[in-house]
Amino acid sequence: MLTIKNIYSIAWCFTLLVTGMSTSADSGSGPYPYKDIGDGNKATEVIVTLVDGVVVDPEGNLFISHRSKNRIRKVGKDGIITTIAGNGLAGFSGDNGPALKASFNFPAGLCLDQAGNLYVADRNNHRIRRIDTSGIVTTVAGAGDPDMGGDGGPAVQAYLNYPSDLVCDGKGNLYISDRSNNRIRKVDSQGKISTVAGMGLPEFGGDFGPATGAFLKYPFGIDLDRKGNLYIADRGNNRIRKVDTQGIITTVAGDGTHFFAGDYGPATRASLAYPTDVVVDDRGNLYIADRNNNRIRKVDSLGIMTTVMGIGKYEYNGDNEIASETTLHLPFALALSPDGKLIIVDRNHFRVRSMDLKSHAIATLAGNGNSWFRGDGGPGAGATLDSPSGMAVDSKGRVIFSDKMHNRLRQIDEKGFIFTLAGTGDQGNEGDGGPASEASLFLPGAMAVGPQDDIYFVSPQGNSKVVRKIDPQGKITRFAGNGVLGDKGDGGPALQASFGVIQDIAVDRQGNVYLADLTNRKIRKVDTQGVVSTLASDTWVKIVDEEIHPNGIAISQNGEIFISDSGSSKIRKIDRNQNVTIFAGTGEFRDSGDGGPAIQAGIRSPGGLTFSPDGELFIAEETSHRIRKISKEGNIMHVAGTGSPGYGGDGGPANQAQLKSPYRMAFDKEGNLYFSDRDNNRIRKIDPQGIISTVAGNSNIGWLQDGLEVRITVHNFP
């Protein structure tokens, strides 16, 4: 069986794709329209991060899916890197047009057919797309929604679920690792789709029987040998599985344990740790990206397992002549070149490397080893966010938010471009007294902007939280909190006071700062002289038995303070005489009362609060996945979210859109409401007409730095 990963001899015409499209790209003119990401330079001199797929043509040109840039790139035989597909914006667009103008979303596995067409697993678009030799992109499989269905019918009408890898055979068939459907699918030369392995449940079983009756668990890389046997990196099962030409499945490597063991013995008794790819050479040797073991393993034709590259340690030790002494860090994807080299995506060394199968010498083909924090300097929708939390708008109309898991404060300018305002990405509370751009931040959360555009934000320190301040000149300092858990310090400097978990922060027109202290169940104030006090202490103590949990805070134009109390499901008000009253909510843990008086409504999960320029109070309900507002007349109304967690509705009415844990909000002077759609990793906007859109972030999972591993998982992925 002839396969591209085995490199069959065909005429390759992809040069037409590059030269024929580059001058028409929107991003620039000339032969290299994407110079900002290194096009036109030696591939070994540019930053290459998060590569998910790799394939080599018969002429030796290397193609990579540059997932973190949502582009497909080519490294020519001369070592020059260029972009051949993708405009860099995460999304789906461009079918039936030039590939350079199309949008992809986490492009993953690649393969080439005998006619020279390149196929891309457009993972987060749940589609397989083809770039033909004229540079035109089309969808060949997947309807675009993450689901399962369509077997027996046209592949373009079927559903895929995070497809991860591809392999093309010599008969016009396309095999798809349909990862989150726990299946391997096949699209025949007529465009008809079927399942060739996997029943859909993420389990293990079925060896020695029909592959369609077996279980796979998040399969990743796949390959075919010359005889037509299909090999599967069954990642979640820590095994390599084989489906023979009769459709019978067996395990050929891995005993199922997530461990390193078994070299020089039978491969089926060896241990693998999340293998993510497999390729087979002409002699029947299997090469495995043993990802979490930081090794490349080999299973020879006798079934014996050995390590051919990697020592288990991940510190980079350079290219050398001995592969077995060369370190890898999360090797991810593999391919074979026509000149007898194994191509390895060395994921967290930010390189694509080769190993000569005869001499075992190592060389770097692409990547300079540096990582690239993603999204800054470009459109907000192209940036990756990770748990965006605090939200504010300054006097210049800049939208500022805390990109929490990236340890940064970021801003969106009037053109919709995103930049880092503070934080290097390193986690810490260092750098006070210097530029905020050079300081380390520690999981910044709630934030607010003062009347002089001072920025205040909350960060954890030990069991407590502290407040840091960035002045208009960009200098960062500690503003409040000694880092010790407690409630001491009233009447003295805020820097010497102890706090608990500060859940939210607000600033009034005079520059006084108010803190919602969830742990101590208090509202603390830091005046313009830096002295801390507790608000309404006499009144508050009388109602503290009501399980008050101050979760959000906002200040009205006349200086009254409003608190969302998630413990009692109420909104409370502290007037200028320090009297505490209930402003909204019956205390019932349910959503009810829209269209009527807020005081009679059920408010299940009040969180962030903000006032509109017209004086209406907006409430972000995190666990209800909705935003509501209370009019100046005291009536409560539905603003955004259907109540069902998810993402959808951009371009339409906000009250018909899906949100997922909306957290904090802020208005600009024109009446646009910005909010952190936290669990969707987006910043979204609702205009004065009630239309919702996304201004920053996309469906991609966030990273501490582009190329590093995810901290959390947001879909069915082990």
Side-chain angles (χ1 to χ4, degrees), residues 249-467:
I249 191 169
T250 53
T251 294
V252 294
D255 61 3
T257 58
H258 183 279
F259 194 62
F260 173 72
D263 272 2
Y264 306 107
T268 52
R269 297 184 183 179
S271 298
L272 304 171
Y274 284 172
T276 48
D277 205 1
V278 57
V279 294
V280 56
D281 67 16
D282 291 343
R283 297 182 178 181
N285 298 303
L286 299 180
Y287 296 90
I288 303 165
D290 195 0
R291 198 195 77 151
N292 284 21
N293 279 326
N294 295 309
R295 290 173 166 92
I296 304 300
R297 313 283 289 278
K298 173 185 174 182
V299 182
D300 66 19
S301 58
L302 299 176
I304 302 301
M305 174 79 81
T306 54
T307 293
V308 295
M309 183 176 179
I311 59 176
K313 297 180 180 180
Y314 59 82
E315 295 84 359
Y316 179 71
N317 67 355
D319 293 338
N320 59 62
E321 297 298 315
I322 306 174
S324 60
E325 296 180 3
T326 302
T327 57
L328 297 166
H329 192 188
L330 302 179
F332 193 80
L334 304 173
L336 289 165
S337 70
D339 59 350
K341 292 183 174 65
L342 179 68
I343 312 301
I344 303 124
V345 173
D346 192 359
R347 188 82 167 276
N348 275 28
H349 282 150
F350 314 118
R351 290 172 166 89
V352 179
R353 306 170 80 180
S354 70
M355 179 183 75
D356 191 299
L357 294 179
K358 292 182 179 179
S359 69
H360 283 201
I362 303 300
T364 293
L365 304 178
N368 61 11
N370 295 319
S371 59
W372 197 348
F373 177 69
R374 181 157 182 257
D376 277 359
T384 294
L385 315 181
D386 200 343
S387 295
S389 299
M391 174 70 56
V393 178
D394 69 8
S395 64
K396 300 180 180 66
R398 296 179 301 177
V399 178
I400 304 169
F401 65 94
S402 54
D403 196 354
K404 183 174 181 178
M405 300 303 292
H406 283 144
N407 299 299
R408 287 171 162 88
L409 301 186
R410 301 175 81 177
Q411 67 180 25
I412 306 167
D413 67 14
E414 67 279 359
K415 296 180 181 179
F417 283 68
I418 191 168
F419 302 91
T420 291
L421 180 69
T424 62
D426 295 327
Q427 192 174 88
N429 283 311
E430 290 77 36
D432 286 344
S437 59
E438 298 177 9
S440 61
L441 310 186
F442 188 20
L443 303 178
M447 61 173 298
V449 172
Q452 304 302 318
D453 280 345
D454 296 294
I455 300 169
Y456 302 85
F457 66 94
V458 178
S459 286
Q461 181 170 322
N463 294 325
S464 179
K465 292 204 177 184
V466 299
V467 180

Side-chain angles (χ1 to χ4, degrees), residues 631-655:
S631 69
K632 290 185 288 186
E633 293 75 31
N635 293 319
I636 193 166
M637 286 167 272
H638 176 212
V639 173
T642 62
S644 174
Y647 173 74
D650 276 0
N655 58 13

Side-chain angles (χ1 to χ4, degrees), residues 208-245:
F208 307 106
T212 52
F215 294 109
L216 304 173
K217 190 173 184 180
Y218 306 107
F220 264 62
I222 54 176
D223 198 16
L224 290 162
D225 67 16
R226 285 184 169 272
K227 297 178 181 178
N229 299 301
L230 174 70
Y231 295 86
I232 306 164
D234 193 359
R235 174 185 151 159
N237 283 319
N238 298 300
R239 290 174 165 93
I240 304 299
R241 314 282 290 278
K242 172 185 174 182
V243 181
D244 67 19
T245 56

Side-chain angles (χ1 to χ4, degrees), residues 47-51 66-69 350 370-372 706-707:
I47 296 173
V48 176
T49 50
L50 273 182
V51 174
H66 196 172
R67 163 177 147 181
S68 54
K69 292 300 175 185
F350 314 118
N370 295 319
S371 59
W372 197 348
D706 196 17

